[in-house]
Amino acid sequence: MRGSSIPVRAAWAGMAAAGLILLCLGLGQKFYFGSVTNAFARDQIGNTLILAGDVLGLAAAGWSRYRGDPLWVTVTVAVPAVVIGGLNLVVEDSLLPHIAALAAVPLGVVGVIGGVVGQRRRTPS
């Protein structure tokens, strides 16, 4: 699936966007103030969704590099997975991953847009 055909671009963009959506859904599950009756279950579901979003985001970044996208596209697609997932692992019970998502998710969206409409470098065949 190397190349720049429309189905390949759509599959890549779907994978990268699904990673961003799963990250945001996971952060939404972990966002609450005060006491919640099912806090442990919500945290567990949120962590699982964030992990799944990380895996999809990093896979999309790897696929982006394989497809021949510019380096900035690969990096901006990987930033949300690395930043949000890393902060969720290190400081799980704080709002720091949520605050970092305010900058990381728009960067991921820019990377997806750049990967869909951007130019690829030519590779000799």
Side-chain angles (χ1 to χ4, degrees), residues 72-90:
W72 69 268
V73 171
T74 303
V75 170
T76 54
V77 168
V79 161
V82 171
V83 170
I84 296 170
L87 285 173
N88 190 51
L89 284 174
V90 175

Side-chain angles (χ1 to χ4, degrees), residues 62-76:
W63 190 7
S64 167
R65 201 66 200 145
Y66 178 74
R67 286 178 357 150
D69 287 332
L71 183 61
W72 69 268
V73 171
T74 303
V75 170
T76 54

Side-chain angles (χ1 to χ4, degrees), residues 1-122:
M1 290 185 92
R2 187 175 184 147
S4 63
S5 67
I6 291 176
V8 173
R9 285 185 187 194
W12 176 82
M15 175 188 256
L20 287 172
I21 290 169
L22 286 174
L23 282 172
C24 292
L25 288 174
L27 287 173
Q29 282 291 317
K30 293 176 63 76
F31 186 74
Y32 52 85
F33 291 112
S35 62
V36 179
T37 58
N38 58 353
F40 181 74
R42 285 184 65 167
D43 280 347
Q44 202 171 22
I45 292 170
N47 287 334
T48 304
L49 288 171
I50 289 173
L51 180 63
D54 289 342
V55 169
L56 277 179
L58 291 176
W63 190 7
S64 167
R65 201 66 200 145
Y66 178 74
R67 286 178 357 150
D69 287 332
L71 183 61
W72 69 268
V73 171
T74 303
V75 170
T76 54
V77 168
V79 161
V82 171
V83 170
I84 296 170
L87 285 173
N88 190 51
L89 284 174
V90 175
V91 286
E92 182 177 337
D93 294 332
S94 84
L95 288 177
L96 201 53
H98 297 83
I99 294 169
L102 293 174
V105 171
L107 280 175
V109 172
V110 166
V112 172
I113 292 170
V116 171
V117 299
Q119 296 291 327
R120 312 260 171 320
R121 64 174 190 263
R122 305 265 183 212

